[in-house]
Amino acid sequence: AIRKGQFSLGDDKAHEQFCGLVDKLCNVTGAGTWDGDRYLLIHDFPSYLEAQDRVDQTYADKAKWASLSIQAASSMAQFSTDRTISEYAKVIWGVEPSVRPEPTVQYKNN
């Protein structure tokens, strides 16, 4: 479809760019380099399409999709930002939390 020009709709420059991209992605000898599929996308593309088909099928069942969404959201507690920041502070930065003093209230006499 790309090589036949179905995506470029008669735009020769776009057609050349699209074909160049396909050529680069299909360059198996350059895979993993700037001369080929740098991020090895083509290798995983069939499984990506299969996964997307499963997502589409699940999304069509609204009750199932809602249930799975709620389950996913409720299991996110272990990935909270508080835990992540605390872990980074200890492991990456090597710092411990400091105790913050209670604020004191000061009143002005009028």
Side-chain angles (χ1 to χ4, degrees), residues 22-106:
V22 169
D23 291 342
K24 184 171 271 200
L25 290 173
C26 292
N27 177 3
V28 294
T29 59
T33 73
W34 291 113
D35 295 327
D37 183 4
R38 173 75 173 144
Y39 299 104
L40 306 175
L41 301 171
I42 295 295
H43 178 75
D44 292 329
F45 198 64
S47 63
Y48 166 80
L49 293 176
E50 291 168 5
Q52 188 60 52
D53 285 342
R54 289 192 307 273
V55 168
D56 293 343
Q57 290 170 5
T58 304
Y59 185 74
D61 181 346
K62 300 300 181 195
K64 184 174 183 177
W65 185 265
S67 175
L68 290 171
S69 297
I70 292 167
Q71 289 175 29
S74 66
S75 67
M76 290 294 215
Q78 62 184 340
F79 297 107
S80 76
T81 54
D82 290 343
R83 183 201 56 81
T84 302
I85 291 169
S86 176
E87 189 173 299
Y88 263 77
K90 290 177 186 170
V91 176
I92 305 296
W93 302 320
V95 295
E96 294 292 327
S98 61
V99 178
R100 182 174 178 191
E102 291 292 323
T104 57
V105 179
Q106 296 179 350

